Amino acid sequence: MTEEVETILGVRIQCRINVVASSFWDVTFINYRLPLPKLCQLLQETQATSEDWEDALPDEGEIDVNGIGIVLAEKLISRHLKLTWEHHLITEDSLWLVGVTKNEDQ
């Protein structure tokens, strides 16, 4: 996650994955708040859909975020690994991907 964010934004941000359940997780930035224009840049680079934008953008009035949700995080991981998948399972120490396809065009 850190490497992909750095590749896109040119900023090295330490990230922590927070596992909530086997199918839900998010990412928190350690000692960093990401300005909204940078968040928008991540969304653009991952070709996010309008639903993805709605999921990722904070409530009205906020000018930065301290992390990202599962949708954008998965897009960043998919981009970094050059893989897509049908299903996933996350645990405290592993990410299991099922139905993996290699993306040649990334």
Side-chain angles (χ1 to χ4, degrees):
M1 187 66 59
T2 297
E3 290 177 21
E4 195 62 25
V5 169
E6 184 175 17
T7 297
I8 295 169
L9 301 179
V11 178
R12 186 150 186 90
I13 304 170
Q14 185 179 3
C15 302
R16 180 179 68 228
I17 306 295
N18 305 302
V19 178
V20 179
S22 61
S23 62
F24 183 79
W25 53 282
D26 64 9
V27 177
T28 300
F29 303 135
I30 307 300
N31 300 319
Y32 189 84
R33 294 202 57 90
L34 186 69
L36 286 186
K38 296 283 188 188
L39 176 62
C40 293
Q41 189 176 348
L42 290 177
L43 289 161
Q44 287 174 333
E45 287 292 323
T46 59
Q47 300 174 346
T49 66
S50 57
E51 292 85 14
D52 299 339
W53 280 76
E54 188 175 326
D55 178 67
L57 292 174
D59 295 332
E60 236 177 271
E62 295 185 44
I63 61 169
D64 55 21
V65 295
N66 68 341
I68 57 175
I70 186 174
V71 174
L72 181 54
E74 283 188 356
K75 287 184 174 300
L76 289 167
I77 290 172
S78 175
R79 176 186 155 101
H80 187 73
L81 297 176
K82 297 179 175 50
L83 300 173
T84 56
W85 52 88
E86 294 175 24
H87 306 284
H88 73 274
L89 171 69
I90 191 165
T91 64
E92 290 294 329
D93 63 353
S94 302
L95 174 63
W96 297 82
L97 304 174
V98 178
V100 173
T101 304
K102 184 171 177 69
N103 296 333
E104 299 295 333
D105 60 343
Q106 288 188 349

